[in-house]
Amino acid sequence: MADDASRKRTVRGRKIRSDRSRKESRKAKKALARKASSAGERNGDSPLSDPEEVVPEPFVETDAVQSLRGRITGWLEADQPVHLIGPTGCGKTALALSAAAERGRPVVWLNGDDAVDTAALVGDHAGGERYKEDDRFVGGVTKQTEIVRERWVDNPLSVAVREGATLVYNEFARSDPAAHNVLLSVFEEGVLERPGKRGGDRTVDVHPEFRAIVTSNDVEYAGVHTQQDALLDRFVGVQVDYYDEETEFEIVKAHVDLPDERIERVVDATRALRDELAVIVGTRAAITAAKGVAVFDGQDDDELLAAVFTDVLAPKIAGEGADDVDDLRAEIDESI
Ligand SMILES: Nc1ncnc2c1ncn2[C@@H]1O[C@H](COP(=O)(O)OP(=O)(O)OP(=O)(O)O)[C@@H](O)[C@H]1O
């Protein structure tokens, strides 16, 4: 009788142990799944940024800047993905980040280039991860099973879609259009497919706060990779051009410590060269030229300006030979 009771207790005891052991193993599996889906975060390279962190510094807000940003945030509020199109160095990236920050949602940043494929956008298998499971069904006997589980890592688009972030996809036209097929169902059906992912969670439902801003250089938009019409149709296009003179002045002044009259000269020269030269002279060129003017002093102003702008713009004709740089210098001399 006593033997029976003790056997029962022992059996119950074993049962409890085996439940706990199963629970622990389930817990371990869950923890592993969590770890795998946030592998990026675990490595400290989460694609999510706080909105305050992405505000460009410095960021000038004239009427022109506010009006453009208002167009972007307005379209985002209407749940439309926005495509910013404009020439190199006109301020698209700064605007996109400022508009994204304004929404107050986390921001995911992506840079387009030839290497961006679907896996780079969505996610990929990142090798196997091993863990050991202990089975202690029989007292005193421990059985260890090694389980190898494939680790899946979500890439920026999956993270942005899942977390309801604002995706800022810079130079999106530089990526292979085939990589963007997954965006169609994101915008159309609110679902992201994760090709290559096995199991029931192959798709991710798009969070209602997910929004996207993509930027393209207008030349590349037309020329590098022609993106699918079906995708471009889903965006509203906001054309960004060089700012008015006052805004450009304020931008250069915010970046470079120079007296106002010297900044004015740099901005005047920038705008004259923009009209006269075949190469693109963006606001970035104006800022770089102003930095040069601040450093190389002691020459006659026009000569200094011409020399500085030649250096700033020469990379745009690099590879075309010294004669071309001389021609560029002559054209700059003439325009300033
Ligand atoms: N509102 C602004 N306030 C302060 N700086 C600005 C502002 N807009 C643009 N800039 C500056 O002008 C330069 C060009 O801007 P930005 O990089 O955003 O241009 P872009 O059009 O994205 O260029 P690209 O086509 O080469 O990527 C940068 O140095 C940026 O900091």
Side-chain angles (χ1 to χ4, degrees), residues 58-61 65 86-95 170-171 217 243 251 254-255 283-284 287:
F59 189 72
V60 164
E61 298 192 25
V65 174
T88 306
C90 71
K92 300 180 293 295
T93 311
L95 259 180
N170 201 35
E171 309 286 11
N217 191 303
Y243 287 118
I251 290 177
H255 284 266
T283 305
R284 186 179 298 112
I287 296 170

Side-chain angles (χ1 to χ4, degrees), residues 228-243:
Q228 287 185 50
D229 261 353
L231 178 62
L232 295 176
D233 264 6
R234 302 292 185 279
F235 287 95
V236 291
V238 173
Q239 184 73 41
V240 185
D241 209 340
Y242 298 115
Y243 287 118

